[in-house]
Every structure is written in structure tokens, then in C-alpha cells.
Amino acid sequence: IGTNVRQQLDSDIKSALNPLVITENITPIPKQNNNLDNISVLSTFLTVPRTKWVVLAEEPQSEISQDIVRIQQQAISLFLLPFLAVFILSYFFSGSLTHPIKQLVRAAVEIGKGNFDFPFSIRTGGEMKQLADSYHSMAYQLKTDRNSLIAEKNTLSTVLETTADGVIGLNEQFVVLFANKAASLIVNKKSEEI
């Protein structure tokens, strides 16, 4: 290399390295500079001990920015995707629990009102299905028992009304619950007045 070219190259390297601080046994801190092509770069350098050599490393600022943006996007994706997946799974899982429970509550209200034929079905399986089957069995048994009681009451009412003996039914406080026709004839009052 010619002397003029060598001097120009040394001058360019010194001007490029000028903003950097060289400290022995300490890693130099990268500085933002413009390289020989006037491109914004992040550069750092070290001197090689016992030589006059300098190792210079530089990276265009635009490439560093692209890498930072890419890393940020990947970090956001790595955070958001699992978060979104957990949210979606939680939403569907909670729905698979709350919907059958709401159906069972509605069925309990209807059964409490005496609607023993209220239709409901739970398809989730497991404990919810067993609970729904228990509700169905309970509703069927309550309906059967109620129908049996009504039939017995009707039979008893018929017997009491057709018997020739006077019958008056009382509770523990001696309040008249019923009186048949024979009893109302005996006391000479209507059944409702007794």
C-alpha cells in the first residue's frame, strides 16, 4: 500500500475510533458512529496486546434495530399465545361446568314447583351426568309418590263421605281439618262451619 493511501486509511480508522474509549482490561462500550461509507453503525474495538493492531467490530444500526424488533415480536408471541390459549381453554372449560349446573338449578326449581316431567339432559358425562340421573330418578319417585298420595286421599275422602258415622278430623291444636256429611248433620252445621 502506498504511503498516502496508508496515511489516509490510518486517519480514517483513527477518526472512526476517536469517539471510543480504550481502557486496558475492560471491555469497551459500543458507541454509535458513522462508518467510512457514512452509514450509522454500532461499533467497538480492542487493541491486541504487544502489537499495534486494533480489532474493530461494527454492525449497522438498522440491522440491530431489526433484530431487536424481531426479538420483541417473538417475546410477545411467546407470552401472548400461551396466555390466549389458557384464556380460551378456561372459557370453554368453565362453560362446560356452569351450563350443566345452571340446567340442574333450573330443574330443581321446576321440580320444586311440582313439574316432575320437566325435560332436561346433561351430556357432559362423569359426576354431572350421575347428578342429572339422580334428579330424574328423584323427580320420577316424587311424581309416583304424589300420585299414590292423591289416590289414597281420594279413596279416604270417598270412604269418609259415604260412611254413616260422623267423622271430624283434628290436628294437634284441635283445629278442625275436615268433617264428613254425617258429622255436619249430627252437629247441625255445614262442614265448613265446624
Side-chain angles (χ1 to χ4, degrees):
I1 300 179
T3 307
N4 288 341
V5 174
R6 174 95 172 138
Q7 287 174 347
Q8 180 62 40
L9 187 58
D10 286 345
S11 173
D12 288 342
I13 290 174
K14 284 180 183 177
S15 67
L17 300 179
N18 193 21
L20 300 175
V21 178
I22 300 176
T23 309
E24 293 296 321
N25 299 323
I26 296 178
T27 304
I29 299 171
K31 300 283 182 180
Q32 185 174 351
N33 300 304
N34 288 338
N35 65 6
L36 297 176
D37 296 328
N38 205 25
I39 296 174
S40 178
V41 295
L42 192 62
S43 60
T44 187
F45 70 94
L46 282 174
T47 57
V48 178
R50 288 185 242 151
T51 68
K52 292 185 178 187
W53 288 79
V54 173
V55 177
L56 173 67
E58 66 180 22
E59 186 71 26
Q61 194 75 23
S62 61
E63 288 183 25
I64 294 172
S65 297
Q66 288 174 352
D67 289 342
I68 291 171
V69 168
R70 182 181 47 81
I71 291 169
Q72 286 174 338
Q73 289 171 343
Q74 288 174 348
I76 289 170
S77 297
L78 288 174
F79 172 74
L80 286 181
L81 289 178
F83 178 76
L84 186 61
V86 167
F87 177 77
I88 291 170
L89 289 174
S90 300
Y91 177 78
F92 285 113
F93 181 70
S94 67
S96 70
L97 286 177
T98 57
H99 182 69
I101 291 172
K102 287 178 182 178
Q103 282 185 314
L104 289 172
V105 167
R106 187 165 175 229
V109 168
E110 290 295 322
I111 291 170
K113 291 178 182 177
N115 184 5
F116 301 116
D117 295 322
F118 178 73
F120 70 98
S121 64
I122 294 180
R123 298 179 199 97
T124 60
E127 292 84 5
M128 287 294 184
K129 177 76 170 131
Q130 289 175 338
L131 188 57
D133 291 344
S134 296
Y135 267 59
H136 283 290
S137 296
M138 176 185 69
Y140 175 77
Q141 190 63 48
L142 286 171
K143 180 179 177 181
T144 302
D145 291 347
R146 183 187 69 175
N147 290 342
S148 295
L149 286 172
I150 290 170
E152 287 180 27
K153 178 185 173 217
N154 289 340
T155 302
L156 184 59
S157 293
T158 302
V159 168
L160 288 174
E161 288 299 322
T162 58
T163 187
D165 297 328
V167 179
I168 298 174
L170 306 171
N171 66 9
E172 294 86 20
Q173 288 81 27
F174 299 104
V175 175
V176 175
L177 298 176
F178 66 90
N180 67 357
K181 287 182 185 178
S184 61
L185 289 174
I186 293 172
V187 294
N188 200 18
K189 289 186 178 181
K190 294 181 182 179
S191 298
E192 300 83 32
E193 296 175 352
I194 299 178

